């Protein structure tokens, strides 16, 4: 029986086309995933099969070829770009005498490295444990031995049963902790709704440029890099719009082809930011020759998490890599709240910043609340009301009058203005309001 080593970064990759030759673009993405996990890619083995083999996934001849390459290259790890059953992983490890990882395990490893927030780490660990719970027997010979020694002999439980029980307890603990985090997030969302601040979510295929766009729009410093899954944890920042309006912009985790079901389930609460949004900005790599497939894959995941019906603006990023100028595509069959043709697509470059005003204008047109413009005259002791207008980002101009009163020129969404006036006991019907 094969004893699994504790480490190993030098990897041999295996990609089998089922019913057709392996797609070049999928091969490139697979290699990028392996490198994102920190693997040193020693080689790539390709092949074609009509259907997976129930025992080894690949045929016996291809398995022997992989075994030969493992020995020749000194590979410590073989990574398959396919989901493998526990028995297939166990059989392959026994044959190849090295660790075997499938696509799900590879993506889980990347997520484990990149998650930074407490919630993200809990979600990754939960997904890993669910994945691991079906694979306990694959390579650890000690797990099948019964406990022994003085005081431990007898019927007892095998080490495998003990580990299964411990895994079950840990999964239960993680679920309870995640439930508390989800409750806290729900409280925060309710506060946003109460304050009448809409949320806009960035979604899209991984490495499409979401975090770069997020940083350019909000002035934030979220980590952005040319790699798959550069950022995992959702980040929410304020985005100022024209006319003293603002929204909250949420940067969510990137999607990928064949996203493991364990992660779709574990990150359902993280993607809640997308489900609760007023609008989705679907960021697309305009220079990607397979962008149509990427769009379909993102929309499929959005359907799985319950966000498929939300309105979208497609943001075609990286136009600086194309012979394309920044512009918008309008849908004249539908109108936005301003009575203008609906913006369907915005073409821009987040890296250079060209076209960003077009996107900000499109967001403003979509949000489009009715604005009120008022002069509010405050007495010196009305400091709380003054601070609330400033906190809402509504003050266009402030002027101190000769008698010590303060004249605030404010512009803000009508519902938010009425809500603030009610809380402060202000009559909000006149053009000049004196309190």
């Amino acid at each position: 029986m094969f004893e699994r080593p504790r480490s190993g970064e030098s990897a041999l990759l295996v990609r089998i086309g089922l019913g057709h030759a392996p797609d070049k673009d999928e091969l490139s993405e697979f290699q990028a995933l392996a490198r994102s996990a920190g693997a040193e890619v020693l080689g790539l083995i390709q092949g074609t099969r009509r259907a997976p083999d129930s025992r080894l996934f690949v045929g016996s001849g291809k398995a022997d070829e992989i075994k030969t390459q493992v020995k020749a290259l000194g590979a410590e790890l073989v990574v398959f770009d396919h989901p493998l059953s526990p028995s297939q992983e166990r059989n392959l490890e026994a044959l190849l005498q090295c660790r075997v990882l499938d696509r799900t395990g590879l993506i889980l490893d990347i997520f484990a490295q990149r998650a930074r927030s407490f919630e993200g780490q809990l979600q990754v660990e939960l997904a890993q444990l669910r994945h691991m719970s079906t694979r306990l027997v694959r390579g650890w010979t000690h797990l099948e031995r019964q406990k022994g020694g003085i005081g431990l002999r007898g019927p007892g439980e095998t080490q495998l049963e003990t580990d299964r029980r411990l895994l079950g307890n840990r999964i239960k603990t993680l679920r309870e902790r995640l439930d508390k985090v989800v409750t806290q997030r729900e409280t925060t969302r309710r506060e946003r709704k109460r304050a009448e601040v809409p949320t806009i979510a960035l979604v899209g295929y991984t490495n499409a440029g979401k975090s770069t766009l997020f940083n350019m729009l909000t002035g934030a410093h979220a980590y952005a890099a040319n790699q798959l899954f550069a950022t995992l944890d959702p980040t929410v920042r304020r985005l100022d719009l024209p006319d003293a309006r603002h929204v909250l912009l949420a940067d969510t985790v990137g999607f990928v082809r064949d996203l493991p079901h364990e992660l779709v389930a574990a990150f359902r609460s993280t993607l809640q930011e997308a489900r609760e949004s007023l609008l989705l900005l679907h960021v697309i790599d305009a220079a990607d020759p397979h962008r149509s497939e990427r769009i379909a894959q993102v929309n499929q995941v959005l359907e799985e998490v319950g966000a498929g019906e939300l309105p979208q603006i497609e943001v075609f990023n990286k136009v600086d890599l194309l012979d394309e100028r920044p512009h918008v595509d309008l849908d004249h069959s539908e109108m936005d709240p301003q009575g203008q043709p609906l913006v369907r697509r915005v073409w821009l470059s987040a890296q250079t910043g060209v076209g960003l005003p077009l996107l900000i204008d499109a967001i403003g047109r979509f949000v489009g609340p009715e604005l009120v413009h008022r002069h509010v005259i405050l007495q010196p002791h009305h400091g709380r009301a003054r601070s609330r207008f400033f906190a809402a980002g509504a003050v266009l101009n402030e002027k101190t009058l000769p008698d010590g009163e303060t004249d605030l020129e404010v512009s803000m969404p009508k519902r938010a203005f009425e809500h603030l006036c009610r809380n402060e006991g202000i009559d909000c019907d006149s053009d000049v309001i004196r309190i």
Side-chain angles (χ1 to χ4, degrees), residues 32-336:
L33 277 174
R35 293 191 180 96
S36 295
E40 177 192 355
V41 178
L42 302 179
L44 173 66
I45 292 180
Q46 306 178 47
T48 305
R49 280 186 66 84
R50 205 175 290 173
D53 178 73
S54 60
R55 182 171 172 272
L56 296 171
F57 189 85
V58 295
S60 56
K62 184 62 69 174
D64 290 337
E65 179 187 345
I66 297 171
K67 182 176 181 180
T68 301
Q69 287 296 306
V70 167
K71 290 183 178 179
L73 299 173
E76 302 166 308
L77 174 68
V78 175
V79 184
F80 280 72
D81 191 24
H82 312 273
L84 300 176
S85 69
S87 63
Q88 287 170 336
E89 281 194 18
R90 185 169 65 248
N91 294 335
L92 284 166
E93 287 187 337
L95 175 67
L96 304 177
Q97 291 295 292
C98 71
R99 287 197 305 136
V100 173
L101 197 64
D102 67 354
R103 180 182 177 85
T104 300
L106 178 65
I107 295 177
L108 285 171
D109 186 85
I110 297 172
F111 273 53
Q113 294 179 45
R114 305 279 168 77
R116 292 291 178 266
S117 71
F118 177 65
E119 180 186 10
Q121 291 170 352
L122 288 179
Q123 289 167 329
V124 169
E125 184 180 354
L126 179 60
Q128 285 181 311
L129 291 179
R130 284 172 172 163
H131 185 67
M132 187 190 304
S133 63
T134 63
R135 286 160 165 76
L136 283 177
V137 297
R138 74 181 166 182
W140 289 271
T141 56
H142 73 276
L143 293 183
E144 296 175 352
R145 301 176 192 146
Q146 204 154 24
K147 290 181 179 178
I150 297 173
L152 296 175
R153 296 184 181 92
E157 64 179 352
T158 65
Q159 184 64 47
L160 177 60
E161 291 166 342
T162 301
D163 285 356
R164 280 179 176 156
R165 177 170 50 80
L166 292 174
L167 270 180
N169 292 339
R170 180 61 179 165
I171 288 174
K172 180 181 177 182
T173 300
L174 289 175
R175 283 175 176 162
E176 291 173 351
R177 290 184 180 178
L178 275 173
D179 286 343
K180 291 181 181 178
V181 175
V182 170
T183 301
Q184 292 169 352
R185 279 193 175 275
E186 287 295 334
T187 302
T188 304
R189 289 191 190 98
R190 283 197 297 270
E191 289 297 326
R192 290 183 205 156
K193 289 181 179 178
R194 195 174 295 124
E196 302 289 347
V197 181
T199 300
I200 312 293
L202 289 169
V203 298
Y205 207 80
T206 185
N207 208 31
K210 294 189 310 303
S211 294
T212 302
L213 180 62
F214 178 80
N215 290 339
M216 289 292 287
L217 288 172
T218 65
H221 301 284
Y223 179 68
N226 184 24
Q227 58 183 204
L228 303 185
F229 301 120
T231 53
L232 295 180
D233 300 312
T235 308
V236 181
R237 293 290 184 272
R238 171 171 155 165
L239 170 62
D240 292 321
L241 299 175
D243 301 322
R245 293 175 294 164
H246 62 271
V247 296
L248 293 177
L249 189 65
D251 185 16
T252 63
V253 62
F255 303 152
V256 72
R257 171 181 57 87
D258 299 330
L259 187 68
H261 289 292
E262 290 92 337
L263 283 177
V264 172
F267 277 80
R268 195 171 295 274
S269 61
T270 300
L271 293 172
Q272 184 80 7
E273 292 293 352
R275 290 179 13 215
E276 296 291 333
S277 298
L278 176 70
L279 172 69
L280 300 180
L281 300 182
H282 183 170
V283 184
I284 301 158
D285 183 352
D288 188 343
H290 298 274
R291 69 190 188 199
S292 297
E293 290 90 333
R294 301 284 185 257
I295 293 171
Q297 288 153 1
V298 170
N299 287 333
Q300 179 183 344
V301 177
L302 289 173
E303 287 286 348
E304 291 180 18
V305 301
E309 299 300 319
L310 291 176
Q312 286 188 21
I313 294 178
E314 293 181 339
V315 182
F316 284 82
N317 188 24
K318 307 184 184 181
V319 296
D320 51 311
L321 303 179
L322 301 173
D323 186 18
E324 188 84 45
R325 299 186 65 181
H327 65 278
V328 297
D329 294 337
L330 300 177
D331 182 356
H332 291 273
S333 65
E334 292 191 51
M335 298 297 166
D336 62 22

